[in-house]
């Protein structure tokens, strides 16, 4: 049996005690050079490092030399994310691609600008019953023609304006997308029916063509949408030209005062088409003043009917493979 001198035994016990204390979590966090130098971002020693240090001390190694040989781990760099300037439209709820606020949006920041396109569509819907009532009542209404023309013209402008704002402000609404084309068709059909009753066949014939096309194309789009091919019959340039010509011709026709005779259209003799449907048209009355636009407005209406047929054929031709079951 080997005899260990008391002094050396005491030293070994002291080293063992020191190593146990250094390996504990409390002492390592209090006296470890890495944590004392980097108290906020230092790393805790792993159990493998603690066992290696204890073994090194039992072999008689020096603490300072051991710590010098094992450099402290570099501190963790904690950097805050760069501040970014957020452009929000919390109150206006416009789309992400909307331009910066202009004068009106800056002046009225709390106004619900994202609802303006829908408000314009609602106004167009409300103009339909107003237009219909003023077409017949009151019976003695001297300014009926310019009033009806102004109502229809303003409603036609809102048709373009709400679409423009929706694209510019990058906003869409499912209800607005549904109501917008419906309001347009109701407005145009109501005006055409009123004018057909006033002028008879010369307006009723192109009006019937236009309305028949609208019903057919609407049914075609709904049928194609059920098969996931609505994009093939979306509104094209011809459809937009047709809508513009129709609204322009109706606005001009409504400007003509009631009682203007169609027989004054001697350049076409189309007055015969009014037989049986002259309504309140007074025969033999010459077109004077604003009434001179009657002829040009009828030409625009017939041009609109022609483009109506050609644009409708384009839509049906695009959908023909699906209609015939080839796709």
């Amino acid at each position: 049996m080997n005899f260990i001198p008391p002094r050396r035994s005491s030293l070994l016990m002291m080293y063992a005690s020191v190593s146990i204390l250094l390996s504990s979590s409390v002492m390592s966090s209090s006296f470890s050079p890495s944590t004392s130098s980097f108290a906020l971002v230092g790393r805790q020693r792993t159990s493998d490092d603690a066992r290696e240090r204890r073994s090194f001390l039992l072999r008689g190694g020096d603490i300072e030399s051991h710590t010098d040989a094992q450099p402290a781990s570099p501190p963790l760099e904690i950097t805050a994310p760069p501040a970014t300037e957020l452009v929000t439209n919390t109150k206006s709820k416009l789309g992400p691609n909307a331009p910066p606020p202009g004068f009106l949006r800056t002046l009225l920041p709390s106004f619900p600008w994202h609802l303006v396109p829908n408000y314009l569509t609602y106004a167009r819907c409300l103009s339909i019953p107003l237009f219909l009532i003023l077409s017949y009542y009151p019976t003695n209404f001297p300014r009926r023609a310019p009033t009806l023309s102004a109502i229809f013209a303003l409603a036609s402008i809102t048709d373009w304006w709400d679409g423009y704002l929706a694209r510019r402000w990058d906003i869409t609404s499912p209800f607005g997308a549904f109501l917008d084309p419906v309001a347009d068709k109701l407005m145009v059909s109501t005006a055409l029916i009123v004018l057909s009753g006033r002028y008879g066949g010369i307006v009723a014939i192109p009006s019937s063509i236009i309305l028949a096309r609208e019903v057919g194309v609407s049914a075609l789009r709904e049928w194609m949408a059920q098969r996931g091919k609505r994009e093939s019959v979306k509104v094209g340039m011809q459809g937009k030209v047709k809508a513009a010509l129709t609204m322009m011709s109706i606005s001009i026709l409504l400007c003509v005062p009631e009682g203007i005779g169609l027989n004054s259209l001697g350049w076409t003799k189309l007055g015969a088409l009014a037989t049986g449907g002259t309504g309140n048209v007074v025969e033999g009355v010459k077109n004077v003043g604003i009434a001179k636009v009657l002829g040009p407005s009828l030409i625009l209406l017939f041009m609109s009917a022609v483009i109506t047929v050609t644009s409708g054929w384009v839509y049906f031709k695009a959908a023909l493979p699906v209609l015939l079951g080839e796709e």
Side-chain angles (χ1 to χ4, degrees), residues 2-326:
N2 296 328
F3 176 76
I4 301 176
R7 183 177 180 181
R8 187 172 181 180
S9 177
S10 300
L11 289 174
L12 289 176
M13 292 179 64
M14 182 182 67
Y15 283 139
S17 301
V18 171
S19 65
I20 292 173
L21 289 174
L22 290 176
S23 64
S24 64
S25 60
V26 176
M27 296 302 293
S28 61
S29 62
S30 302
F31 298 100
S32 173
S34 60
T35 56
S36 61
S37 301
F38 310 99
L40 295 176
V41 293
R43 296 180 177 176
Q44 185 179 359
R45 297 290 188 181
T46 62
S47 58
D48 293 338
D49 293 335
R51 285 196 298 269
E52 181 181 356
R53 183 168 59 251
R54 184 168 60 250
S55 176
F56 182 81
L57 291 173
L58 289 175
R59 292 196 301 269
D62 183 59
I63 296 178
E64 294 182 358
S65 64
H66 179 69
T67 55
D68 292 338
Q70 301 289 336
S73 301
L76 292 175
E77 295 183 1
I78 303 176
T79 58
T84 57
E85 183 179 357
L86 300 178
V87 180
T88 59
N89 288 311
T90 305
K91 293 183 178 180
S92 60
K93 296 181 181 179
L94 302 184
N97 298 323
F103 174 74
L104 289 178
R105 287 168 55 194
T106 304
L107 184 63
L108 302 171
S110 60
F111 185 81
W113 294 103
H114 64 288
L115 296 178
V116 170
N118 286 348
Y119 289 161
L120 293 175
T121 304
Y122 302 153
R124 190 158 65 254
C125 292
L126 293 176
S127 68
I128 296 172
L130 177 64
F131 175 87
L132 189 59
I133 293 172
L134 291 179
S135 297
Y136 302 101
Y137 303 99
T139 54
N140 296 323
F141 188 14
R143 305 294 297 174
R144 191 190 311 276
T147 301
L148 294 179
S149 179
I151 293 175
F152 187 86
L154 290 175
S156 301
I157 293 174
T158 62
D159 178 32
W160 173 84
W161 191 247
D162 61 2
Y164 170 78
L165 292 179
R167 291 187 299 270
R168 179 172 176 80
W169 291 342
D170 191 24
I171 50 179
T172 57
S173 168
F175 184 72
F178 156 75
L179 189 61
D180 180 67
V182 173
D184 300 341
K185 291 175 175 57
L186 290 176
M187 178 185 64
V188 171
S189 60
T190 301
L192 288 176
I193 292 172
V194 170
L195 289 172
S196 297
R198 179 187 300 179
Y199 294 106
I202 197 172
V203 175
I205 290 175
S207 298
S208 300
I209 296 173
I210 293 172
L211 295 179
R213 180 263 189 194
E214 294 295 342
V215 173
V217 172
S218 298
L220 178 66
R221 285 178 178 148
E222 182 180 357
W223 188 80
M224 293 291 285
Q226 294 176 357
R227 284 151 181 80
K229 297 183 179 295
R230 184 179 176 85
E231 289 298 320
S232 60
V233 290
K234 64 181 180 180
V235 179
M237 182 54 65
Q238 284 190 348
K240 295 179 180 179
V241 173
K242 183 270 305 178
L245 282 178
T246 303
M247 293 179 178
M248 186 182 302
S249 62
I250 293 175
S251 299
I252 299 174
L253 267 174
L254 290 171
C255 280
V256 180
E258 296 182 61
I260 299 301
L262 291 174
N263 61 341
S264 60
L265 301 177
W267 47 270
T268 58
K269 300 299 181 181
L270 289 176
L273 292 175
T275 302
T278 56
N280 55 2
V281 175
V282 179
E283 297 294 337
V285 177
K286 297 293 184 180
N287 290 354
V288 293
I290 193 64
K292 292 182 179 180
V293 301
L294 177 61
S297 62
L298 289 175
I299 293 175
L300 289 177
L301 185 62
F302 276 93
M303 289 176 58
S304 174
V306 172
I307 299 178
T308 292
V309 174
T310 58
S311 63
W313 167 246
V314 170
Y315 296 138
F316 277 94
K317 183 180 179 181
L320 193 60
V322 182
L323 292 172
L324 297 178
E326 298 177 1

